[in-house]
Amino acid sequence: MSEKTDEIEPVTLSLTYFVLLFFVMAWVSLFPSVLFGYWFFITFPFSFNPIYLLSLIPLFFALYGIALLSSLIFTKLGIWIIHKRITYPEVGTYRVSMDEPQTRAFMIKINIRSFGRWLYYFFHLKFLRAFWMRQQGVKIGKNVKLAKYIEDEEFQEFGDNTYMAKSVGFSGHMMDNEYLVVTETIVGKNCIFEHLSGGVGATIGDNSVFRELTGAMKGYVCRGNAIYQGIPCKKIGEYSDLSPAEIEEVKQKIREKDKTNYIKRKNAPIKISGAKLFTMKLLIVIGGCLFALLFLYLYSILFQAFYSPTNHLLNIAFLTLVPFIFIITLGFFSVGTTLFTKIFLAYYDHKAEIPEGYYELDDPRAKIFKIKYLLRLFGLRLFRAMPFKVGDTFVMRFWGNVTFGNYIVIENAIVDPQYLELGDNVVMAAGARIHTHDIIKGKLYIKKVKIGKNSILGGCCHIKPGVELPARSIVAAAAWFRKNRKCKRPALWMGKPAFELPLIALTGSTGIKKKVVDDKYDKAQAQREIKKKKIKI
């Protein structure tokens, strides 16, 4: 994004086209499973025999496996057609315009992959996720522990025995409101990445250790056999400084943090009834199931009315609707959970208004705030578990207490879904965090966060309550804003705490210039910085 840009036209997409493409991919992925299920129940009529009921378990996995295989085949076929008809992917910088072949191909491939990705990721099985990513062009070595925020796209490579914390992020592209930058990200063997670290467009050598809050920028070359810290990353030590026991200690620390529920821990001082909250969550799920079953019941009545025991072609003709019925049923489930969440939120809204400010932890309003906050998060989690999580902004608008503009992308970010104001064209990278509340000195503090239009939030950045960013702000990956920070003018923000750089620093940065991090390594200076910052090696 350049300094001179005042108004940015968002990339024009045909919503109808992408919705139709999504439904086509869903249909071709699911219909083979529908045919196999139809054959099974025709050949083996339903019975309440215990053995028959047990056979339904392997049947489910067989149907799921067929759907996985079908989605993979047709996803690869669709991408092959794009490469033939539009363009093959190439490293470079491209305008965000559907008139640009590379951008158009990139956007369509995201949509083609979306349903297959949802199928492969649904049960959170690591081997399925790794298999899917390999098939999409990501090169993954043996015994690699993958992070949550890794894009399934070309030009990424991860060497054997690489170990990542869950919150690590890697990508083969960067994108703002003006440019799409496709770049290579290469990670060597035996690398370790602690929490909130990662890189885009960097080359990281073997035996590299990235400490917490460390990022390799576009074009950076880390030669390896070293320890790196900071954003942009700097070499602070040698890999040989770590004994095998210390390396295992780092991995153990990663495992412990991966298991930590930070949302639960942050809000733990506010005591509420766990049984009451669980009951409301259960009712939300039941409400969603009732909506879904109602739609399925209507379809079953229609199918039974036209079902013919002898005319299988007619039956199969009606079964062609089943993939669409499946997607619509998931939609009804999401509608039901959203409505029931809204009912509970409206009930607590009626009990008490909660303006911004400080509250004692035993204040009834603090307890109501926590209940509403956790209900919103639970409802969002259910919605994002469905294959159309891109619509999460509509859900948050429906629940209220947020102000959103148009063309906002949040889906893989972690935000407090209340006391939040986002302008038009705000884009958040995976793992970006916005906190509109915190517990400070034994009190609950609530303050609205405001992000101006055409702003971009990098991966794993942290924005605390009360922060205000003007239009056209760019927040670098893992930048950290303290509470109530009021930023006056558009700028590039990076570091912890975030410091300001002029947007002109980005002018011409769309190219890829190599920078060897290790060349500036001064061991004595690094040791002084380690001692000053109390960085443990």
Side-chain angles (χ1 to χ4, degrees):
M1 187 183 292
S2 65
E3 184 84 52
K4 298 179 181 179
T5 305
D6 294 321
E7 294 295 332
I8 296 174
E9 290 293 330
V11 60
T12 303
L13 304 175
S14 171
L15 180 61
T16 303
Y17 171 80
F18 282 101
V19 169
L20 287 175
L21 182 58
F22 174 82
F23 272 95
V24 167
M25 293 304 300
W27 189 88
V28 297
S29 299
L30 296 176
F31 191 61
S33 295
V34 173
L35 289 178
F36 182 81
Y38 178 72
W39 169 84
F40 179 88
F41 287 110
I42 289 297
T43 308
F44 309 100
F46 183 80
S47 167
F48 285 101
N49 184 295
I51 296 177
Y52 185 91
L53 294 177
L54 285 174
S55 71
L56 297 181
I57 297 175
L59 173 64
F60 169 79
F61 287 106
L63 295 177
Y64 182 58
I66 293 171
L68 292 178
L69 181 61
S70 301
S71 66
L72 179 61
I73 291 172
F74 285 102
T75 298
K76 292 179 76 70
L77 177 62
I79 291 175
W80 178 80
I81 292 173
I82 290 171
H83 290 169
K84 286 290 186 181
R85 296 291 300 273
I86 302 178
T87 182
Y88 283 90
E90 293 181 1
V91 171
T93 301
Y94 310 98
R95 294 286 300 182
V96 177
S97 167
M98 293 304 281
D99 295 329
E100 168 60 58
Q102 284 287 348
T103 302
R104 186 165 70 254
F106 180 83
M107 294 288 192
I108 296 174
K109 283 194 292 186
I110 288 176
N111 199 260
I112 285 178
R113 287 176 172 140
S114 62
F115 188 78
R117 183 192 304 120
W118 176 76
L119 280 178
Y120 273 84
Y121 290 11
F122 186 77
F123 289 107
H124 303 284
L125 298 175
K126 295 178 182 178
F127 74 94
L128 281 181
R129 183 165 177 261
F131 177 78
W132 168 263
M133 293 178 69
R134 286 189 176 100
Q135 298 306 311
Q136 303 310 309
V138 183
K139 297 178 181 178
I140 303 174
K142 298 177 181 178
N143 194 31
V144 174
K145 181 181 181 294
L146 291 172
K148 182 178 180 180
Y149 304 114
I150 298 181
E151 299 290 341
D152 52 348
E153 57 192 12
E154 303 90 346
F155 305 120
Q156 292 190 96
E157 182 177 338
F158 302 98
D160 298 343
N161 305 312
T162 292
Y163 200 89
M164 306 179 196
K166 186 166 64 175
S167 60
V168 167
F170 282 101
S171 177
H173 81 279
M174 293 181 291
M175 188 174 182
D176 61 18
N177 293 314
E178 289 190 89
Y179 292 104
L180 166 67
V181 180
V182 180
T183 179
E184 287 184 317
T185 300
I186 300 174
V187 176
K189 300 177 181 178
N190 304 312
C191 295
I192 300 175
F193 296 90
E194 295 188 32
H195 288 266
L196 303 175
S197 63
V200 179
T203 300
I204 301 170
D206 298 346
N207 303 315
S208 295
V209 177
F210 272 48
R211 291 300 190 182
E212 197 166 312
L213 283 171
T214 300
M217 302 291 100
K218 178 186 64 178
Y220 272 42
V221 177
C222 303
R223 289 175 172 165
N225 294 303
I227 304 168
Y228 301 93
Q229 175 79 39
I231 299 175
C233 65
K234 295 180 181 179
K235 182 177 177 180
I236 62 167
E238 304 290 346
Y239 185 81
S240 57
D241 294 340
L242 296 171
S243 67
E246 288 174 317
I247 292 174
E248 183 56 36
E249 183 182 341
V250 171
K251 292 182 178 180
Q252 179 60 30
K253 176 185 173 184
I254 290 173
R255 288 191 288 268
E256 290 174 358
K257 283 201 169 187
D258 281 348
K259 295 177 182 177
T260 303
N261 186 331
Y262 289 98
I263 292 174
K264 182 178 180 180
R265 189 173 74 175
K266 183 175 81 170
N267 294 279
I270 305 175
K271 304 301 181 184
I272 61 173
S273 171
K276 187 176 182 180
L277 181 64
F278 175 80
T279 301
M280 287 186 286
K281 289 181 177 180
L282 182 61
L283 290 174
I284 288 171
V285 174
I286 292 173
C289 292
L290 289 176
F291 268 70
L293 290 174
L294 175 63
F295 182 76
L296 282 178
Y297 176 70
L298 295 175
Y299 174 74
S300 66
I301 292 175
L302 179 66
F303 182 78
Q304 290 174 11
F306 292 93
Y307 175 75
S308 171
T310 57
N311 193 340
H312 295 301
L313 288 178
L314 178 63
N315 296 337
I316 291 174
F318 276 98
L319 288 174
T320 57
L321 298 175
V322 169
F324 301 128
I325 299 300
F326 176 76
I327 297 298
I328 296 171
T329 300
L330 294 179
F332 268 73
F333 174 81
S334 294
V335 169
T337 57
T338 300
L339 287 175
F340 272 72
T341 303
K342 176 66 174 179
I343 290 171
F344 288 121
L345 292 175
Y347 168 74
Y348 282 105
D349 285 339
H350 181 71
K351 289 190 70 173
E353 291 186 7
I354 308 175
E356 300 171 25
Y358 285 93
Y359 296 89
E360 298 292 341
L361 298 183
D362 58 355
D363 189 319
R365 290 173 296 178
K367 298 178 185 294
I368 291 174
F369 170 86
K370 179 177 178 179
I371 291 172
K372 290 168 60 178
Y373 169 68
L374 294 179
L375 286 176
R376 277 184 163 94
L377 287 185
F378 181 71
L380 268 182
R381 188 187 308 165
L382 292 176
F383 188 87
R384 288 173 171 173
M386 299 298 106
F388 25 74
K389 63 180 181 179
V390 70
D392 56 0
T393 55
F394 298 100
V395 172
M396 285 187 270
R397 283 190 184 102
F398 177 68
W399 289 336
N401 206 8
V402 296
T403 304
F404 288 168
N406 299 315
Y407 306 108
I408 294 173
V409 178
I410 294 180
E411 56 183 284
N412 289 318
I414 304 168
V415 302
D416 285 5
Q418 52 189 344
Y419 302 95
L420 182 60
E421 183 177 319
L422 304 176
D424 296 340
N425 310 319
V426 171
V427 177
M428 301 183 194
R433 289 164 165 81
I434 296 181
H435 309 267
T436 61
H437 80 282
D438 205 348
I439 294 178
I440 302 171
K441 296 181 179 179
K443 291 186 177 182
L444 170 65
Y445 178 60
I446 305 170
K447 188 68 174 177
K448 179 181 286 188
V449 170
K450 299 179 181 180
I451 310 294
K453 64 180 181 179
N454 301 322
S455 295
I456 299 169
L457 276 59
C460 300
C461 66
H462 275 258
I463 296 179
K464 291 292 188 177
V467 171
E468 294 183 8
L469 293 174
R472 299 189 297 113
S473 296
I474 298 182
V475 178
W480 196 290
F481 287 83
R482 291 172 176 166
K483 68 180 177 71
N484 298 328
R485 179 82 177 270
K486 303 294 191 294
C487 304
K488 302 297 183 183
R489 53 187 173 273
L492 168 64
W493 302 91
M494 60 191 305
K496 179 184 179 181
F499 59 88
E500 176 183 346
L501 291 174
L503 282 179
I504 198 170
L506 293 174
T507 303
S509 68
T510 52
I512 300 174
K513 300 177 182 179
K514 297 295 183 182
K515 177 182 178 181
V516 180
V517 176
D518 309 64
D519 286 348
K520 294 186 177 181
Y521 174 58
D522 183 322
K523 186 171 184 179
Q525 177 64 24
Q527 292 297 328
R528 286 193 294 271
E529 290 185 11
I530 292 168
K531 187 175 181 180
K532 181 179 178 181
K533 297 180 181 180
K534 298 181 180 180
I535 299 170
K536 181 183 176 183
I537 294 183

